[in-house]
Amino acid sequence: MTRFACAAAAALMVFLCSAAQADEGMWTFHGFPFAKANAALKTNLDQAWLDRVRSATVRLANCTASFVSDEGLILTNHHCVEACLAEQSSKEKSFVEDGFLAKSRDEEKRCQTQVADVLIGMEEITAKVSAATAGKDETTANDVRKSTLTQLEGECEKAATQKCQTVTLYEGGQYWLYKYKRYTDVRLVFAPEASIAAFGGDPDNFQFPRWCLDMGILRAYEDGKPAKPANHLKFNFAGPSVGEAVFVSGHPGATDRLLTLAQLKQQRNQDLPQWLLRYSEIRGRLIQFSQESPQNERITADLLNSIENAIKVRRKMLDALHEDSLLERKAAEQAALQKSVAKDAKLKKSTGDPWHDIDVVLATERGLFVPYNYIEAGAGLQGRLVNFARTLVRGAAERDKPNGQRYREYTDPALPRVEQQLGAKVPVYNELEELRLGNSLERMREWLGPDHPVVRKLMSKESPAQLAKRLISGTKLNDPAVRLELWKGGSAAIAASTDPMIELARMIDPDARALRKAYEDGVEAPLRSATERIARARFASLGTSVYPDATFTLRLNYGTVQGWKENGTPVEPFTHLSRAFERATGADPFRIPDSWLRVKDKLDMNTPFNLSTNNDIVGGNSGSALINAKAEIVGLLFDGNIHSVSGAYWFDTEKNRAVAVHPAIIREALSKVYAADALLGELTR
Amino acid sequence: MTRFACAAAAALMVFLCSAAQADEGMWTFHGFPFAKANAALKTNLDQAWLDRVRSATVRLANCTASFVSDEGLILTNHHCVEACLAEQSSKEKSFVEDGFLAKSRDEEKRCQTQVADVLIGMEEITAKVSAATAGKDETTANDVRKSTLTQLEGECEKAATQKCQTVTLYEGGQYWLYKYKRYTDVRLVFAPEASIAAFGGDPDNFQFPRWCLDMGILRAYEDGKPAKPANHLKFNFAGPSVGEAVFVSGHPGATDRLLTLAQLKQQRNQDLPQWLLRYSEIRGRLIQFSQESPQNERITADLLNSIENAIKVRRKMLDALHEDSLLERKAAEQAALQKSVAKDAKLKKSTGDPWHDIDVVLATERGLFVPYNYIEAGAGLQGRLVNFARTLVRGAAERDKPNGQRYREYTDPALPRVEQQLGAKVPVYNELEELRLGNSLERMREWLGPDHPVVRKLMSKESPAQLAKRLISGTKLNDPAVRLELWKGGSAAIAASTDPMIELARMIDPDARALRKAYEDGVEAPLRSATERIARARFASLGTSVYPDATFTLRLNYGTVQGWKENGTPVEPFTHLSRAFERATGADPFRIPDSWLRVKDKLDMNTPFNLSTNNDIVGGNSGSALINAKAEIVGLLFDGNIHSVSGAYWFDTEKNRAVAVHPAIIREALSKVYAADALLGELTR
């Protein structure tokens, strides 16, 4: 198939042959290239295998996971349950730091903001969307497209007890309706201490060799009882051998492999540098704050970890965009596609010049970037409390409108999740809120300038820090009951509220909405029109032999267990327990927890710890089981090596590697360190 | 002259004509284009005028200044004396915050680390340097060049009581020996409160319109008595009119206008993003630290101000390098020069292909960047105490060598200044030191990786924070007497020391020296060879009609008082006092100090406050007097507008503006707010 595709599309050879690299590809479950995969791997995958894997794969709110017992046990990463651990914690007691093991079902702790989805159906709706938008101008088409998606989701949810979400693939080349079984009662069963789950911390993040027990176990409940999933995966504790075929079924979050050259340059010149500047400063503030006391350290850990991870990702994405070779490759791909369009009169007419149109859009976007980002997108209004307030104010106004006319995040199908988050009984720490809100207001003033009308409105008589302090000490929104009452009270309750944070959100909402309108009409609408045309031109040349960019929807990719060469030196694909002890300094993040030190003599130092494979993954795949051709768990994916970060833009066959926990260390830890016999029993029965 | 130059070098027209824009140019005092300037401005500047201005212009360690009385009064910016104010302060009393006025000569406070230099002679030494390096390979030539410069400086200082510094112009196209009269006893006479000196703080920095009394007054002493300068400038308190010819005699710090395209891309892709990431985090840590208490705020203010200023500069430099038009312009200039070389067989032979050579050098530099930066250049070892230790350790070893073989910063002419800084009785705050050293060690570990030999050597059993705390609590280097004793004790004292900070510096010095050697031989030597050849090719085409990049040596530029158009809207070139009161929020950095509020009724609200001109300035010009054609002070330069930052790479005639304090507000403040009658008397007599 590879050879055929290359021959059939000679003009696009650079593009196509790169897209058809072995082991590259985040394939949808409705477009998996069985023949190609089976030929490459000498396997016999078929639709039944795919269905079985799909029905055992779980999408969490932030990660991937898998059912691993017939009583609803869910295996994922520690960093995927870290938010749940933090929700259960306080200034005095951190489950992130100390880990957690439920000794019985009664002790399993409900994660307040988590859900678990299993994909049960997929329906293509491209034709319906196209029919609805046909003949409309870009702005109208953009509005109609959204209301159509809302309508299709609503009808789908009415038809059966299921969650329905539309999915945009190929930047608008295809639209799908994905149907999920949703579990909203998800409880925490087990997590090791952060010091072993994330041994090496930020310095080792995105590195390999590696020694992390980055695992967490949840359980889905239904009607107050452990769920009975349609399917679950079983462990093969021996793990895989070097070169063995392995698969990742999961939800890669987002890639930008199909963007135009100009869009990539906008990321390089504007989006990434500005984000990095902003978050590097926040990182500094959080580190300093966390060093003030052990309490501060506890309440900051989860947030700081996710920020440091995001910084590392974007830093390396920026590095990738600074590689001349990457941009040259993208330019060649784009030129090849443009050439194939130019040669086909009919295609040329229907396509127009979307690349030029995108240049115009991007100029508009640059003009809107700072105000849109700081005012509407929330860069200037950071923290949980201000977010609650903005959700309450906007949600009340939106719910007063007909479903089809609302912002997409407040449609009827979206509301239960909004309400779950508003009502979640999770701790809110005012010190941390002050830091975040004060910092973001300060940067809003810096970037918009002290004389900007919104800045004058908010801060003409107070400094950012003074304003943040007043709002946070005065608001009652840290009480979930207060939030739910305001939510249920709708726009009347919002209008009557004298809560200072609600007042702030009310004050800023018109400015924020105006910017959103400008952005939707000036950027989103013409951009979607242009990217749809590019996608159609690409389909005309290549069909769907090119996979769509990642969208945090279910994908399968295949690869093999292998290392790589770093500056000419081979990196072996397995690590072992002994080296973790050698690398320990005794101080975080290179500290082996006491639970391990106590039983050190009993541990088998040759136990494989982590492994690397060449599967094509990105963030969102975290928590995915690494499975073999029999669909047995032979690893728990938790990271990629440093070269995997450029996977946002392209897959580097030579160096991009996924990193997983080896099943043997999972068994060793559950058995000898945590004495989690009942849990291990359930996983192995 | 403009027309002639353009005609004579048609191949270089893009380059030359841009270089010859009216008002652009940081001209040396030995290459000032009298004819061109007089024609453009309708003035009659001559050598006598230039000599008079030169002998009244002062170079401080960090800024420019001017003699403004016959008893050694020196006018400069508040931000140029901020370090001196901070040196006099403590956790309880901040002269930065509160300002300072010496009521009598006895109260004038000596600035411990300041010097004041006046340029008294300039001698070209290009031929001597060329003769010394002729026929040598690049590495040897690099060493010999440095020892030659050291030798010439030494001979010059022996010949008369003067400080002698060699200056490299045109990236190695010319070498000069500059001779200074140096005042080492510089005392603080007056500074207003920071809240009015830097009204608007970081948000307003590099902005205009503006309302800052960014002034400070020092006095040079000689033999314990007020100095008698050869010349001084007089105020014209009426200030200049719109369109009037104005001049800035000062020391622009550094520009990169003559760099190759590849060098600019290296700044864009590597140097600037990495610096910004690093310092944005430090900014966050310092802000958080400073908010912990008023004491912390006091001890952090000076450092934080300078970091925020540097961040803003580099942010806008990065923006400039992201402008496609800038890089296209640079590419065209470069191509024009390459073409003119290619056409001349002899020139082609002597020039070679320095652009290609630079590409090779830059690849080497990228490989060295992280370790060189973190280990040798000190990104991983931040803070005063660790710097003292490194200076002591290295300085002892270097002084054991013959003068000509030492690192250039430890040659005999350089030693008095090193000793002054080591012996300065300035406060060192351990909390701040811990923050800075801990942070930098943490980043050293992050960037070099936890398994790098230097990281293992320093931090195999301690975290970065633990190491920083142990070193800082154990060292005695916060005592200037201890530092001076170690300095005077030389290498024997260093070898015998058990001070933990000295131990650290000893431990790291071999690694740091190895990196420096690799950098000097692999980057500096071939780069200098290539840039010298480019400079010679440029002289061959253009003579010295192109001014050299800024090097913190004396330059004169000319321009006129004028505003500009911002997005089509005119920005007027003068601001007035009334608007400062309207913009005040009552909270820093928009707080008018009590001293002003108390006398508000007596102040003339129409007093001009700040003004803008189109002089071509960059950092280092801060504190320069803005003078008219009679060499009267009609302003005190303290900043540029936001478009001035791209002046690092090119001068934007349309938008690049310098920003100065109007002399009228200086008189208004000294007279009515500060009741500094004696001072004002001395300035006006």
Side-chain angles (χ1 to χ4, degrees):
Chain A
M1 184 164 170
T2 301
R3 193 175 304 162
F4 169 74
C6 278
L12 291 175
M13 224 168 77
V14 177
F15 177 54
L16 182 71
C17 294
S18 68
Q21 288 283 8
D23 313 320
E24 173 177 353
M26 300 174 171
W27 302 100
T28 61
F29 274 60
H30 42 76
F32 186 74
F34 284 110
K36 184 178 155 201
N38 283 327
L41 302 170
K42 301 187 178 64
T43 50
N44 289 299
L45 310 184
D46 56 17
Q47 189 59 45
W49 186 93
L50 207 62
D51 291 344
R52 189 150 57 93
V53 169
R54 174 178 50 72
S55 62
T57 306
V58 172
R59 185 173 73 169
L60 301 174
N62 51 340
C63 280
T64 300
S66 315
F67 278 121
V68 287
S69 87
D70 56 6
E71 292 190 281
L73 278 187
I74 292 174
L75 175 71
T76 187
N77 292 146
H78 180 274
H79 72 267
C80 299
V81 304
E82 194 172 334
C84 180
L85 291 162
E87 284 171 11
Q88 308 291 340
S89 301
S90 67
K91 290 183 195 176
E92 276 62 47
K93 165 71 180 172
S94 166
F95 289 103
V96 177
E97 211 174 298
D98 302 339
F100 174 76
L101 173 63
K103 298 221 178 66
S104 68
R105 300 267 159 95
D106 292 347
E107 288 187 4
E108 293 175 2
K109 289 169 185 284
R110 183 158 178 181
C111 298
Q112 296 285 317
T113 56
Q114 192 55 280
V115 292
D117 293 336
V118 178
L119 185 61
I120 54 175
M122 295 160 278
E123 177 192 342
E124 185 166 7
I125 52 167
T126 312
K128 292 180 186 176
V129 176
S130 297
T133 59
K136 308 265 191 310
D137 68 72
E138 286 171 352
T139 306
T140 312
N142 195 37
D143 292 341
V144 168
R145 189 182 298 114
K146 289 186 205 174
S147 61
T148 305
L149 298 179
T150 297
Q151 177 205 330
L152 291 170
E153 285 172 351
E155 288 167 5
C156 172
E157 295 206 357
K158 270 179 203 138
T161 309
Q162 55 192 0
K163 280 311 297 175
C164 297
Q165 289 174 357
T166 52
V167 182
T168 304
L169 299 178
Y170 298 103
E171 273 78 29
Q174 286 186 353
Y175 293 89
W176 286 75
L177 193 56
Y178 276 27
K179 301 163 190 180
Y180 298 93
K181 175 168 179 56
R182 168 163 290 182
Y183 300 91
T184 55
D185 183 353
V186 179
R187 304 188 193 175
L188 190 63
V189 177
F190 169 73
E193 304 91 334
S195 57
I196 192 71
F199 181 75
D202 183 64
D204 269 9
N205 192 14
F206 285 109
Q207 301 295 327
F208 189 85
R210 193 74 165 279
W211 299 264
C212 291
L213 187 72
D214 194 350
M215 70 176 293
I217 294 180
L218 305 167
R219 190 191 300 281
Y221 279 73
E222 210 169 14
D223 303 325
K225 286 176 197 151
K228 302 282 180 194
N231 223 322
H232 72 275
L233 302 175
K234 291 194 174 262
F235 274 94
N236 176 336
F237 288 108
S241 48
V242 176
E244 184 172 336
V246 283
F247 306 85
V248 176
S249 167
H251 306 86
T255 54
D256 290 330
R257 295 182 187 175
L258 301 180
L259 294 192
T260 64
L261 194 62
Q263 287 176 296
L264 293 175
K265 282 190 181 171
Q266 188 108 319
Q267 287 200 10
R268 181 193 72 183
N269 295 359
Q270 171 188 277
D271 308 357
L272 289 169
Q274 295 216 17
W275 191 97
L276 281 166
L277 264 177
R278 200 149 63 77
Y279 276 92
S280 293
E281 182 187 346
I282 296 173
R283 179 191 197 185
R285 291 198 62 161
L286 290 174
I287 289 175
Q288 189 64 27
F289 174 80
S290 77
Q291 291 190 356
E292 284 168 25
S293 69
Q295 286 81 358
N296 285 5
E297 193 178 347
R298 282 185 204 112
I299 68 178
T300 314
D302 174 36
L303 178 64
L304 185 56
N305 286 348
S306 64
I307 287 175
E308 291 193 327
N309 181 66
I311 287 175
K312 203 169 243 190
V313 168
R314 282 165 183 77
R315 229 179 63 199
K316 295 308 291 184
M317 284 169 68
L318 185 59
D319 282 351
L321 293 177
H322 283 141
E323 292 281 344
D324 287 340
S325 60
L326 171 66
L327 290 194
E328 281 161 16
R329 176 195 169 110
K330 293 287 180 184
E333 290 172 8
Q334 185 164 313
L337 183 57
Q338 285 166 327
K339 208 170 156 187
S340 81
V341 170
K343 283 199 305 193
D344 177 337
K346 199 179 147 199
L347 187 60
K348 189 176 168 185
K349 182 150 185 264
S350 66
T351 303
D353 189 351
W355 296 276
H356 170 264
D357 298 342
I358 287 177
D359 289 345
V360 175
V361 169
L362 293 178
T364 307
E365 204 271 341
R366 283 194 291 277
L368 283 168
F369 183 78
V370 167
Y372 177 80
N373 208 21
Y374 275 91
I375 296 171
E376 165 63 7
L381 299 159
Q382 296 259 299
R384 290 189 173 183
L385 293 170
V386 71
N387 271 328
F388 287 142
R390 296 191 72 200
T391 302
L392 288 166
V393 166
R394 188 164 280 185
E398 289 297 306
R399 281 178 297 154
D400 288 344
K401 300 179 188 170
N403 192 32
Q405 291 172 28
R406 298 180 199 161
Y407 288 146
R408 293 265 300 140
E409 66 271 29
Y410 293 102
T411 61
D412 286 336
L415 292 180
R417 183 92 179 107
V418 175
E419 191 170 329
Q420 178 191 18
Q421 287 172 319
L422 283 173
K425 294 190 183 82
V426 298
V428 176
Y429 303 105
N430 280 2
E431 316 83 299
L432 198 52
E433 292 292 305
E434 266 186 41
L435 184 165
R436 297 179 69 195
L437 185 57
N439 171 268
S440 57
L441 287 167
E442 197 165 318
R443 289 304 144 253
M444 180 198 277
R445 182 173 72 180
E446 176 182 350
W447 284 85
L448 296 179
D451 301 313
H452 187 284
V454 171
V455 174
R456 294 300 295 174
K457 190 151 79 172
L458 299 183
M459 292 174 271
S460 67
K461 292 295 158 199
E462 281 171 311
S463 73
Q466 288 168 339
L467 174 59
K469 199 179 181 72
R470 180 172 64 76
L471 295 174
I472 285 159
S473 61
T475 185
K476 298 277 178 276
L477 295 184
N478 41 14
D479 180 347
V482 171
R483 298 195 295 265
L484 282 182
E485 201 183 311
L486 279 164
W487 177 251
K488 285 168 184 155
S491 47
I494 294 298
S497 173
T498 56
D499 188 290
M501 200 65 90
I502 294 288
E503 286 174 343
L504 173 93
R506 275 198 319 244
M507 199 192 298
I508 210 158
D509 200 48
D511 302 288
R513 282 178 181 271
L515 283 161
R516 178 145 167 178
K517 174 92 176 115
Y519 188 88
E520 285 178 346
D521 293 354
V523 178
E524 192 183 81
L527 188 61
R528 177 48 48 90
S529 158
T531 58
E532 275 185 3
R533 282 177 283 140
I534 292 176
R536 271 186 250 123
R538 200 181 272 128
F539 290 152
S541 299
L542 299 169
T544 49
S545 69
V546 177
Y547 53 90
D549 262 323
T551 50
F552 198 47
T553 51
L554 194 62
R555 305 293 176 92
L556 185 71
N557 70 70
Y558 56 91
T560 53
V561 174
Q562 53 176 275
W564 75 99
K565 281 194 177 172
E566 189 69 45
N567 297 324
T569 307
V571 179
E572 297 302 323
F574 291 100
T575 65
H576 297 86
L577 177 55
S578 53
R579 180 80 186 123
F581 282 93
E582 289 163 20
R583 284 180 91 235
T585 66
D588 279 326
F590 293 94
R591 185 172 61 80
I592 303 235
D594 290 345
S595 61
W596 290 61
L597 296 176
R598 274 196 299 269
V599 298
K600 187 179 172 190
D601 291 345
K602 291 186 205 160
L603 297 172
D604 176 358
M605 288 293 158
N606 292 321
T607 309
F609 208 130
N610 289 169
L611 70 143
S612 70
T613 79
N614 68 350
N615 292 82
D616 182 5
I617 53 90
V618 292
N621 272 121
S622 276
S624 300
L626 184 76
I627 56 178
N628 61 18
K630 294 186 213 165
E632 295 167 336
I633 300 175
V634 292
L636 168 60
L637 202 110
F638 72 98
D639 205 2
N641 69 354
I642 197 70
H643 310 293
S644 73
V645 179
S646 60
Y649 306 114
W650 71 301
F651 184 78
D652 181 348
T653 313
E654 298 298 316
K655 290 186 172 175
N656 185 331
R657 295 294 175 268
V659 176
V661 184
H662 195 283
I665 195 75
I666 292 179
R667 184 171 58 182
E668 189 81 356
L670 290 179
S671 152
K672 296 185 185 168
V673 179
Y674 300 107
D677 299 325
L679 179 59
L680 194 55
E682 189 177 338
L683 290 175
T684 51
R685 80 180 169 219
Chain B
M1 185 167 168
T2 302
R3 193 174 304 166
F4 169 74
C6 279
L12 291 175
M13 225 168 76
V14 177
F15 178 55
L16 181 71
C17 294
S18 68
Q21 289 282 11
D23 312 322
E24 171 176 354
M26 300 174 171
W27 302 100
T28 61
F29 275 60
H30 42 76
F32 186 75
F34 285 109
K36 185 178 153 201
N38 283 328
L41 302 170
K42 301 184 179 65
T43 50
N44 290 300
L45 311 184
D46 57 15
Q47 189 60 44
W49 187 93
L50 208 61
D51 291 344
R52 189 151 57 93
V53 170
R54 174 177 51 72
S55 61
T57 307
V58 172
R59 185 173 74 167
L60 301 176
N62 51 339
C63 281
T64 298
S66 314
F67 277 119
V68 287
S69 87
D70 57 4
E71 290 190 282
L73 276 187
I74 292 174
L75 175 71
T76 187
N77 292 146
H78 179 273
H79 73 267
C80 300
V81 304
E82 194 171 334
C84 180
L85 290 163
E87 284 171 10
Q88 308 291 338
S89 300
S90 67
K91 290 181 196 177
E92 277 62 46
K93 166 70 181 173
S94 168
F95 289 102
V96 177
E97 211 173 298
D98 302 338
F100 175 76
L101 174 63
K103 300 221 177 68
S104 68
R105 300 270 159 95
D106 292 346
E107 288 187 5
E108 295 175 0
K109 290 170 184 285
R110 182 158 179 181
C111 298
Q112 295 287 316
T113 56
Q114 193 55 281
V115 292
D117 293 335
V118 177
L119 185 62
I120 53 175
M122 294 160 281
E123 177 191 342
E124 185 167 7
I125 53 167
T126 313
K128 291 180 187 175
V129 176
S130 298
T133 58
K136 306 265 192 310
D137 67 73
E138 287 172 350
T139 307
T140 311
N142 196 37
D143 292 341
V144 168
R145 188 183 300 113
K146 289 186 206 174
S147 62
T148 305
L149 298 179
T150 297
Q151 178 205 330
L152 291 169
E153 285 172 352
E155 287 166 6
C156 172
E157 295 206 358
K158 269 180 203 137
T161 309
Q162 54 192 1
K163 279 310 299 174
C164 298
Q165 288 173 357
T166 52
V167 182
T168 304
L169 299 177
Y170 299 102
E171 274 76 29
Q174 285 187 352
Y175 293 90
W176 286 76
L177 192 55
Y178 276 27
K179 302 164 190 180
Y180 297 94
K181 174 166 178 60
R182 167 162 291 182
Y183 300 89
T184 54
D185 184 352
V186 178
R187 304 187 193 176
L188 190 63
V189 177
F190 169 72
E193 304 90 335
S195 57
I196 193 70
F199 182 75
D202 183 65
D204 269 9
N205 192 16
F206 284 109
Q207 301 296 328
F208 189 84
R210 194 75 164 279
W211 299 264
C212 292
L213 186 73
D214 194 351
M215 71 177 291
I217 294 180
L218 304 168
R219 190 189 300 280
Y221 278 74
E222 212 169 14
D223 304 324
K225 286 177 196 151
K228 302 281 181 196
N231 223 322
H232 72 276
L233 302 175
K234 292 196 174 257
F235 274 93
N236 177 336
F237 288 108
S241 49
V242 177
E244 183 171 338
V246 282
F247 306 85
V248 176
S249 166
H251 305 86
T255 53
D256 289 331
R257 296 182 187 175
L258 300 180
L259 294 193
T260 64
L261 195 61
Q263 287 176 298
L264 293 175
K265 284 190 180 172
Q266 187 109 320
Q267 287 199 12
R268 181 192 71 183
N269 296 357
Q270 171 187 281
D271 308 356
L272 289 170
Q274 295 216 18
W275 191 97
L276 282 164
L277 264 178
R278 200 149 64 76
Y279 275 92
S280 292
E281 182 187 346
I282 295 172
R283 179 191 196 185
R285 291 198 63 160
L286 290 175
I287 289 174
Q288 189 62 27
F289 175 80
S290 77
Q291 291 190 356
E292 284 167 26
S293 70
Q295 286 81 359
N296 284 5
E297 194 178 348
R298 281 183 205 113
I299 68 177
T300 315
D302 174 37
L303 178 63
L304 185 57
N305 287 348
S306 63
I307 287 176
E308 290 192 327
N309 181 66
I311 286 175
K312 201 168 243 190
V313 169
R314 281 165 184 77
R315 231 180 61 198
K316 296 307 292 183
M317 284 169 68
L318 185 59
D319 282 352
L321 292 177
H322 283 143
E323 293 281 343
D324 286 341
S325 60
L326 171 66
L327 290 194
E328 281 160 15
R329 176 195 169 110
K330 293 288 179 182
E333 288 173 8
Q334 185 165 314
L337 184 55
Q338 284 167 327
K339 208 168 154 187
S340 83
V341 170
K343 284 199 306 195
D344 178 337
K346 197 179 151 198
L347 188 59
K348 190 177 170 185
K349 182 151 185 265
S350 67
T351 303
D353 188 351
W355 296 276
H356 169 264
D357 298 343
I358 286 177
D359 289 345
V360 174
V361 168
L362 293 178
T364 307
E365 205 270 340
R366 283 194 291 277
L368 281 168
F369 183 77
V370 168
Y372 177 79
N373 208 21
Y374 275 91
I375 297 172
E376 165 62 8
L381 298 159
Q382 296 261 299
R384 291 191 172 181
L385 293 170
V386 69
N387 271 328
F388 287 143
R390 295 191 73 198
T391 302
L392 288 166
V393 166
R394 188 165 279 184
E398 290 297 304
R399 283 178 295 155
D400 287 346
K401 299 177 188 170
N403 192 33
Q405 290 171 29
R406 298 180 199 161
Y407 288 146
R408 292 265 301 142
E409 66 270 29
Y410 294 104
T411 60
D412 286 336
L415 292 180
R417 184 91 178 109
V418 175
E419 191 170 329
Q420 179 190 18
Q421 287 172 317
L422 283 173
K425 293 190 183 85
V426 298
V428 177
Y429 303 105
N430 280 1
E431 316 82 300
L432 199 52
E433 292 291 304
E434 267 186 41
L435 186 166
R436 297 179 69 196
L437 184 57
N439 171 268
S440 58
L441 288 168
E442 197 165 318
R443 289 305 143 251
M444 179 197 278
R445 184 173 70 179
E446 177 183 351
W447 284 85
L448 295 179
D451 302 311
H452 187 284
V454 170
V455 174
R456 295 299 295 173
K457 189 151 82 172
L458 298 183
M459 291 174 271
S460 67
K461 293 295 159 198
E462 282 173 308
S463 73
Q466 287 169 338
L467 174 59
K469 198 178 181 73
R470 179 171 64 78
L471 294 174
I472 286 158
S473 60
T475 185
K476 300 275 177 277
L477 295 184
N478 41 14
D479 179 348
V482 170
R483 298 194 296 264
L484 282 181
E485 201 183 312
L486 278 164
W487 177 252
K488 284 168 185 156
S491 47
I494 293 300
S497 172
T498 57
D499 189 289
M501 201 66 91
I502 295 288
E503 286 173 345
L504 174 94
R506 275 198 319 243
M507 201 193 297
I508 211 159
D509 201 49
D511 301 288
R513 282 177 181 270
L515 283 161
R516 176 144 169 181
K517 173 92 177 118
Y519 188 89
E520 286 179 346
D521 293 354
V523 179
E524 192 183 84
L527 188 62
R528 177 48 47 92
S529 157
T531 58
E532 275 185 2
R533 281 177 284 140
I534 291 176
R536 270 186 249 122
R538 200 182 273 128
F539 289 152
S541 299
L542 300 169
T544 50
S545 68
V546 177
Y547 53 90
D549 262 322
T551 49
F552 199 48
T553 52
L554 194 64
R555 305 293 176 91
L556 185 72
N557 70 72
Y558 56 91
T560 55
V561 174
Q562 52 176 277
W564 76 101
K565 282 195 175 171
E566 188 71 43
N567 297 324
T569 308
V571 178
E572 296 302 322
F574 291 99
T575 65
H576 297 86
L577 178 55
S578 54
R579 181 78 186 123
F581 281 94
E582 290 162 20
R583 283 181 93 236
T585 65
D588 279 325
F590 294 93
R591 186 173 61 80
I592 304 239
D594 291 343
S595 61
W596 289 61
L597 296 176
R598 275 195 300 268
V599 299
K600 187 179 173 188
D601 292 345
K602 292 186 203 160
L603 297 173
D604 177 357
M605 287 294 157
N606 293 320
T607 310
F609 209 131
N610 289 168
L611 69 144
S612 71
T613 80
N614 68 351
N615 291 82
D616 182 6
I617 53 92
V618 292
N621 272 121
S622 277
S624 300
L626 184 77
I627 56 178
N628 61 16
K630 294 187 210 162
E632 295 168 336
I633 299 175
V634 292
L636 169 59
L637 201 109
F638 72 98
D639 205 2
N641 68 355
I642 197 70
H643 309 292
S644 73
V645 179
S646 60
Y649 305 115
W650 71 301
F651 184 79
D652 180 348
T653 313
E654 296 299 316
K655 290 186 172 176
N656 185 332
R657 295 295 176 268
V659 176
V661 185
H662 196 282
I665 195 73
I666 291 178
R667 185 173 56 184
E668 189 80 355
L670 289 179
S671 153
K672 297 186 186 167
V673 179
Y674 301 106
D677 300 327
L679 179 59
L680 194 54
E682 189 176 339
L683 291 173
T684 51
R685 80 179 168 221

